[in-house]
Amino acid sequence: ELVARMQRRAFELSGGWDDVEELELDPPALDRLVELTVPTLILDGDLDLDAISQTAARLAEQVPGARRISWPDVAHLPSLERPADFLALLLDWLAEQAG
Protein backbone atom coordinates (compact mmCIF):
# COMPACT_ATOMS: atom_id res chain seq x y z
CA GLU A 1 0.00 0.00 0.00
CA LEU A 2 2.84 2.41 0.86
CA VAL A 3 4.62 1.73 -2.43
CA ALA A 4 1.39 2.16 -4.41
CA ARG A 5 0.74 5.49 -2.72
CA MET A 6 4.32 6.63 -3.30
CA GLN A 7 4.27 5.60 -6.95
CA ARG A 8 0.89 7.24 -7.58
CA ARG A 9 2.25 10.49 -6.13
CA ALA A 10 5.36 10.26 -8.33
CA PHE A 11 3.17 9.89 -11.42
CA GLU A 12 1.06 12.87 -10.34
CA LEU A 13 4.12 15.06 -9.85
CA SER A 14 5.77 14.07 -13.11
CA GLY A 15 2.62 14.09 -15.25
CA GLY A 16 3.45 17.42 -16.86
CA TRP A 17 7.10 16.72 -17.57
CA ASP A 18 6.63 15.77 -21.23
CA ASP A 19 7.97 19.13 -22.36
CA VAL A 20 11.09 19.03 -20.19
CA GLU A 21 14.20 18.97 -22.34
CA GLU A 22 16.64 16.20 -21.52
CA LEU A 23 20.31 16.99 -21.83
CA GLU A 24 23.13 14.51 -22.05
CA LEU A 25 25.93 15.35 -19.64
CA ASP A 26 29.42 15.55 -21.05
CA PRO A 27 31.20 13.76 -19.54
CA PRO A 28 28.43 11.42 -18.29
CA ALA A 29 27.69 11.47 -14.57
CA LEU A 30 28.85 7.86 -14.15
CA ASP A 31 32.27 8.89 -15.38
CA ARG A 32 32.47 11.64 -12.74
CA LEU A 33 31.62 9.73 -9.57
CA VAL A 34 35.19 10.21 -8.32
CA GLU A 35 34.48 13.96 -8.17
CA LEU A 36 31.87 13.61 -5.42
CA THR A 37 33.02 15.20 -2.18
CA VAL A 38 30.02 14.62 0.07
CA PRO A 39 29.55 11.79 2.56
CA THR A 40 27.69 9.00 0.80
CA LEU A 41 25.76 6.08 2.28
CA ILE A 42 24.65 3.38 -0.15
CA LEU A 43 21.99 0.95 1.06
CA ASP A 44 20.68 -1.94 -0.98
CA GLY A 45 18.74 -5.09 -0.26
CA ASP A 46 20.11 -8.56 -0.92
CA LEU A 47 16.77 -9.57 -2.47
CA ASP A 48 16.78 -6.76 -5.04
CA LEU A 49 17.57 -7.19 -8.71
CA ASP A 50 21.16 -7.97 -9.67
CA ALA A 51 21.32 -4.69 -11.60
CA ILE A 52 20.64 -2.73 -8.41
CA SER A 53 23.29 -4.63 -6.48
CA GLN A 54 25.78 -4.06 -9.30
CA THR A 55 24.96 -0.36 -9.33
CA ALA A 56 25.42 -0.13 -5.57
CA ALA A 57 28.78 -1.88 -5.88
CA ARG A 58 29.88 0.49 -8.65
CA LEU A 59 28.92 3.53 -6.60
CA ALA A 60 30.74 2.18 -3.55
CA GLU A 61 33.87 1.54 -5.60
CA GLN A 62 33.95 4.89 -7.34
CA VAL A 63 32.56 7.45 -4.88
CA PRO A 64 35.42 8.46 -2.57
CA GLY A 65 34.77 7.40 1.02
CA ALA A 66 31.35 5.91 0.27
CA ARG A 67 29.96 3.37 2.69
CA ARG A 68 27.82 0.53 1.34
CA ILE A 69 25.49 -1.62 3.38
CA SER A 70 23.61 -4.59 1.93
CA TRP A 71 20.74 -5.73 4.10
CA PRO A 72 19.61 -9.35 4.04
CA ASP A 73 15.96 -10.25 3.61
CA VAL A 74 14.92 -6.96 1.97
CA ALA A 75 14.47 -6.02 -1.65
CA HIS A 76 14.19 -2.69 -3.45
CA LEU A 77 12.92 -0.42 -0.68
CA PRO A 78 14.80 -1.25 2.53
CA SER A 79 13.65 1.95 4.22
CA LEU A 80 10.00 0.93 3.76
CA GLU A 81 10.57 -2.75 4.54
CA ARG A 82 12.51 -2.06 7.77
CA PRO A 83 11.72 1.55 8.74
CA ALA A 84 12.91 1.34 12.35
CA ASP A 85 16.21 -0.26 11.33
CA PHE A 86 16.62 2.31 8.56
CA LEU A 87 16.06 5.20 10.95
CA ALA A 88 18.62 3.78 13.39
CA LEU A 89 21.13 3.25 10.58
CA LEU A 90 20.61 6.75 9.22
CA LEU A 91 20.86 8.44 12.62
CA ASP A 92 24.06 6.53 13.45
CA TRP A 93 25.58 7.38 10.07
CA LEU A 94 24.64 11.06 10.41
CA ALA A 95 26.17 11.14 13.89
CA GLU A 96 29.39 9.67 12.45
CA GLN A 97 29.45 12.37 9.79
CA ALA A 98 28.90 15.14 12.33
CA GLY A 99 31.49 13.96 14.78
Side-chain angles (χ1 to χ4, degrees):
E1 182 181 325
L2 289 173
V3 174
R5 205 174 337 151
M6 178 183 69
Q7 192 61 56
R8 185 171 30 263
R9 182 69 177 141
F11 287 141
E12 290 169 358
L13 291 173
S14 62
W17 291 4
D18 291 338
D19 60 347
V20 174
E21 181 181 357
E22 292 184 32
L23 300 174
E24 292 292 327
L25 297 176
D26 185 27
L30 288 176
D31 293 341
R32 300 182 336 189
L33 293 173
V34 297
E35 297 175 22
L36 290 174
T37 59
V38 296
T40 305
L41 177 64
I42 302 161
L43 174 62
D44 64 306
D46 284 347
L47 300 178
D48 205 342
L49 300 172
D50 289 342
I52 300 300
S53 180
Q54 292 164 2
T55 299
R58 181 175 183 179
L59 289 170
E61 290 169 4
Q62 294 186 14
V63 174
R67 178 176 171 201
R68 178 184 179 197
I69 298 174
S70 294
W71 273 355
D73 302 322
V74 296
H76 190 63
L77 298 168
S79 59
L80 288 180
E81 295 176 58
R82 292 175 45 188
D85 292 335
F86 174 74
L87 181 58
L89 170 69
L90 181 60
L91 291 175
D92 287 346
W93 184 78
L94 290 170
E96 288 174 18
Q97 303 314 303

